[in-house]
Amino acid sequence: MQPTLLILAAGMASRYGSLKQIQQFGPSGETIIDYSIYDAIRAGFGKIVFIIRDNFAEEFKEIFEPKLKGKVETAYVFQNMDAFVNGHAVPADRTKPWGTAHAVLCAKDAINEPFAVINADDFYGRDAFEKMAAFLKGECKEDKYSVVGYELGKTISEHGSVSRGVCEVNGNGNLAGITERTKIYLDNGKIVYEEGEKKVELGPKTPVSMNFWGFAPSVFPISEKMFDKFLTDNISNPKSEFFIPIVVDQFIAGGMGEVKVIPTSSQWFGVTYKEDAPGVQASLSALVKNGEYPDNLWK
């Protein structure tokens, strides 16, 4: 069975200020998502599932359906505020989506096979897709998931701080824990994060998660149960979010299974800030020039 790629494209893009998921960066008008899908198809993924918001669904489909028709199966899932709340009353002032783990849960009825999860606005690289596809086809089980571990130094923005899931890896190459650091940046040539009043340095090869996960369908009932508990504890907090690392941490700590950390040599890049856009365009142009990708992905 071919694995599925789940693309998280329902984010509000608050820092970037526009619908960055469909901004064109490639030489023939390709979006970052186009490159992810292209890499996924050549790595052996058989289906693409998009998590989007229904208020831009038609615009989104008009961009991607003509390119992908006949090349790969597609499906669209909406991340709605009332999905999987199981009787909890959603506060009237809640405008923020419930988070990435809730977005994954919303795809429950669309996925029945091992699958990977990625962000729409991140470029992950061919090596990462090939290694993830190999894991999903050969190693993924109900009690064995995975995450691609990027070198922190290959994921930094020059235009502001970033959030990264810093991975603790045990002697077996599995995830022992993941800590979300919300303010990581370059400081006089060193990578640091802030913790209270102090700055803590991190090495450039520190493994971090860029939200490229590999799951079996068993993650859906696990997430649904955790989300119910999350709502019980956090529903009155308008900024609370149910993130994928919350599910993964509880999966590991609860003895439900293990999460393999897949190292990659890929250079990550993305558009956290508008100022990142020219760098993304330059990076893609260089990859095309070096023969990694054709001038037109879908020609």
Side-chain angles (χ1 to χ4, degrees):
M1 184 178 291
Q2 290 179 299
T4 286
L5 179 65
L6 177 62
I7 301 178
L8 306 182
M12 299 182 77
S14 57
R15 282 184 296 181
Y16 195 70
S18 65
L19 193 57
K20 59 183 173 179
Q21 292 92 341
I22 55 177
Q23 181 164 341
Q24 298 177 351
F25 292 103
S28 297
E30 293 89 352
T31 65
I32 288 180
I33 301 177
D34 283 314
Y35 286 92
S36 292
I37 295 171
Y38 184 85
D39 281 336
I41 292 172
R42 64 179 174 176
F45 286 78
K47 182 169 70 174
I48 309 296
V49 178
F50 296 97
I51 287 278
I52 57 177
R53 295 203 309 276
D54 52 8
N55 63 345
F56 65 77
E58 292 310 310
E59 180 184 9
F60 197 92
K61 289 179 183 179
E62 285 174 7
I63 291 171
F64 289 100
E65 280 305 303
K67 301 173 183 177
L68 302 180
K69 189 174 182 180
K71 296 182 177 68
V72 69
E73 182 183 349
T74 57
Y76 298 85
V77 177
F78 300 142
Q79 184 181 12
N80 293 322
M81 199 76 72
D82 58 354
F84 296 95
V85 296
N86 295 333
H88 292 275
V90 180
D93 62 346
R94 177 81 192 197
T95 57
K96 194 177 186 68
W98 288 118
T100 53
H102 177 254
V104 172
L105 182 54
C106 288
K108 179 182 178 181
D109 294 333
I111 299 175
N112 300 298
E113 57 282 319
F115 68 101
V117 179
I118 64 168
N119 293 333
D121 49 7
D122 290 344
F123 179 91
Y124 291 99
R126 180 176 185 174
D127 179 71
F129 278 96
E130 289 179 345
K131 288 178 176 175
M132 178 59 78
F135 170 84
L136 294 173
K137 293 174 185 178
E139 296 182 62
C140 186
K141 298 184 292 186
E142 287 191 353
D143 60 353
K144 188 170 185 180
Y145 302 159
S146 68
V147 62
V148 177
Y150 284 79
E151 294 177 8
L152 175 59
K154 294 184 176 181
T155 75
I156 296 296
S157 171
E158 296 179 356
H159 304 291
S161 65
V162 296
S163 296
R164 298 288 180 258
V166 178
C167 299
E168 181 185 348
V169 185
N170 66 22
N172 295 321
N174 295 324
L175 191 66
I178 184 166
T179 304
E180 188 72 14
R181 299 298 182 190
T182 57
K183 196 171 184 182
I184 300 177
Y185 56 92
L186 286 170
D187 183 40
N188 294 320
K190 296 181 179 180
I191 303 172
V192 300
Y193 69 88
E194 292 183 5
E195 189 169 48
E197 296 295 316
K198 63 179 181 178
K199 295 177 182 178
V200 181
E201 184 177 351
L202 289 169
K205 291 190 178 295
T206 300
V208 295
S209 163
M210 299 307 299
N211 232 27
F212 195 166
W213 300 92
F215 294 119
S218 60
V219 76
F220 294 124
I222 291 171
S223 298
E224 189 168 3
K225 185 176 181 180
M226 290 182 188
F227 185 53
D228 185 70
K229 176 69 163 56
F230 171 85
L231 290 177
T232 299
D233 297 340
N234 299 281
I235 197 165
S236 60
N237 179 356
K239 293 186 177 181
S240 62
E241 289 187 73
F242 184 52
F243 293 118
I244 293 172
I246 293 174
V247 172
V248 171
D249 267 342
Q250 292 184 35
F251 175 77
I252 296 169
M256 288 177 270
E258 59 188 24
V259 178
K260 180 180 180 178
V261 179
I262 302 173
T264 181
S265 59
S266 290
Q267 171 73 46
W268 172 94
F269 51 85
V271 281
T272 305
Y273 301 95
K274 285 205 174 203
E275 293 82 0
D276 292 325
V280 170
Q281 290 173 320
S283 295
L284 290 173
S285 294
L287 288 169
V288 170
K289 186 176 180 180
N290 291 338
E292 288 286 327
Y293 299 94
D295 288 338
N296 188 326
L297 291 183
W298 309 117
K299 189 173 180 180

